[in-house]
Amino acid sequence: MTTTATSPALDQLCANTLRCLAIDGVQQANSGHPGMPLGAAPMAFVVWDKFLHFNPKNPHWPNRDRFVLSPGHGSMLLYSLLHMYGFGLPLEELKKFRQFGSLTPGHPEFRHTVGVETTTGPLGQGFANAVGMALAERWLATHFNREGHEVVDHYTYAIVSDGDLEEGVSSEAASLAGTLRLGKIIFLYDDNRMSIEGSTDTAFTENVLARFDAYGWHCQRVEGENMAGIALAIRQAQEVTNRPSIIAVHTHLAHASPLEDRAEAHGSPLGVDNVVKTKEQLEYPSMQPFFVPDEARAHFDAKAGE
């Protein structure tokens, strides 16, 4: 699923569609985390649209690329992706975010929602699970691939957060991935420098990329609104076959909202007025909740049908 050509303007519209669906879901539920999807939607769009190999008609295809949203509190971003890329998650389910019995719980749950690769919520868990997925890919490829018949050959992508990287489990998993040289790992670090308590400076001041370099990872840095730069960084990561890769993507929590870079946007709805102001700042074509522009819908449908 990496063949459809797009323009920068269409890419921006598609990323903004994911953003607006996410904040509409949080606002309708009056509960959730709008800040992370607003900042991370461009990198998620680039991964899914330009690199991720998957088949929504066969979501359990064994050789699919894996995608893990380690900061599971940003689940509306993942649900928006699954809806737009044809995984059978109706728009009505996005409107029932965090409601009892829905397919869109507050954190992604494996086997509950099609397309969710692992349950994420406890910080660091998704990071470690993704390392495990890459380790499984290595083991299966070593045991079953033959010359000219590489039946196992897929990547594990993940978006990880400051909270994930603060946890000991992610440090242990990262060390193991570096030691085993798991080159099919490409993680994007949502480096927004904010937590629910405020600036990460209150508890997390280390040089993250220096730590991962010490673990043996391939490290890069890019700006979060630079989708072309994100795509280039991922291509460069794919060329490094003997080391796992992490890309620090400098984002802004609650990008384009009146609460940008403010801790209040981490775990509380923006408010109806601020949702409208955010869409205006993004130059989104409609203020209607859960609106999907025809041009964006056509592009996502084409990708889902490839």
Side-chain angles (χ1 to χ4, degrees), residues 214-280:
Y215 287 145
W217 287 53
H218 174 245
C219 302
Q220 300 179 80
R221 189 180 297 279
V222 67
E223 289 297 315
E225 294 301 303
N226 182 2
M227 286 189 276
I230 294 168
L232 176 61
I234 294 173
R235 285 193 293 271
Q236 291 174 343
Q238 289 179 332
E239 293 172 0
V240 179
T241 60
N242 63 345
R243 284 184 289 166
S245 291
I246 186 167
I247 303 165
V249 186
H250 179 209
T251 63
H252 292 274
L253 186 78
H255 170 80
S257 83
L259 301 178
E260 182 172 315
D261 290 330
R262 289 170 55 182
E264 301 97 294
H266 175 93
S268 300
L270 297 177
V272 174
D273 290 344
N274 284 338
V275 167
V276 171
K277 290 176 182 177
T278 302
K279 292 179 180 180
E280 290 174 344

Side-chain angles (χ1 to χ4, degrees), residues 12-295:
Q12 190 66 62
L13 179 64
C14 289
N16 288 344
T17 299
L18 297 172
R19 282 169 157 152
C20 291
L21 287 175
I23 62 175
D24 283 339
V26 171
Q27 190 58 48
Q28 176 135 321
N30 197 28
S31 177
H33 299 72
M36 183 269 175
L38 281 172
M43 72 173 94
F45 172 74
V46 170
V47 171
W48 279 68
D49 209 71
K50 317 300 181 188
F51 296 96
L52 200 70
H53 288 85
F54 61 95
N55 182 356
K57 298 180 180 63
N58 183 14
H60 303 297
W61 169 41
N63 199 40
R64 69 192 182 278
D65 289 337
R66 271 56 171 180
F67 175 82
V68 173
L69 183 71
S70 192
H73 57 268
S75 57
M76 265 306 302
L77 175 58
L78 180 55
Y79 300 145
S80 298
L81 289 161
L82 294 174
H83 168 71
M84 294 304 301
Y85 282 108
F87 278 79
L89 189 65
L91 193 62
E92 288 305 311
E93 289 293 332
L94 271 62
K95 295 178 182 179
K96 294 191 290 184
F97 177 55
R98 287 194 165 212
Q99 303 308 299
F100 181 76
S102 77
L103 294 175
T104 50
H107 292 78
E109 296 180 13
F110 181 58
R111 293 196 180 99
H112 182 75
T113 308
V114 173
V116 172
E117 296 286 4
T118 184
T119 300
T120 53
L123 291 170
Q125 176 175 291
F127 185 111
N129 285 352
V131 170
M133 292 174 190
L135 181 55
E137 191 277 342
R138 166 74 66 79
W139 189 93
L140 291 168
T142 299
H143 282 74
F144 295 109
N145 286 355
R146 300 292 183 268
E147 185 175 353
H149 298 279
E150 294 190 356
V151 295
V152 180
D153 180 23
H154 58 265
Y155 284 92
T156 299
Y157 297 92
I159 292 177
V160 303
S161 66
D162 289 303
D164 292 304
L165 301 185
E166 290 173 9
E167 296 293 335
V169 62
S170 61
S171 296
E172 295 176 32
S175 177
L176 178 63
T179 297
L180 297 179
R181 297 182 173 273
L182 298 178
K184 292 294 186 69
I185 286 176
I186 300 178
F187 287 178
L188 294 94
Y189 164 34
D190 181 23
D191 184 15
N192 62 31
R193 303 169 191 177
M194 291 296 297
S195 70
I196 196 168
E197 294 85 8
S199 171
T200 53
D201 289 346
T202 59
F204 192 56
T205 58
E206 68 189 42
N207 184 328
V208 170
L209 291 191
R211 172 158 64 98
F212 275 79
D213 180 67
Y215 287 145
W217 287 53
H218 174 245
C219 302
Q220 300 179 80
R221 189 180 297 279
V222 67
E223 289 297 315
E225 294 301 303
N226 182 2
M227 286 189 276
I230 294 168
L232 176 61
I234 294 173
R235 285 193 293 271
Q236 291 174 343
Q238 289 179 332
E239 293 172 0
V240 179
T241 60
N242 63 345
R243 284 184 289 166
S245 291
I246 186 167
I247 303 165
V249 186
H250 179 209
T251 63
H252 292 274
L253 186 78
H255 170 80
S257 83
L259 301 178
E260 182 172 315
D261 290 330
R262 289 170 55 182
E264 301 97 294
H266 175 93
S268 300
L270 297 177
V272 174
D273 290 344
N274 284 338
V275 167
V276 171
K277 290 176 182 177
T278 302
K279 292 179 180 180
E280 290 174 344
Q281 182 65 26
L282 293 171
E283 299 182 350
Y284 201 58
S286 174
M287 301 301 109
Q288 177 185 345
F290 300 99
F291 175 81
V292 176
D294 290 343
E295 189 178 4

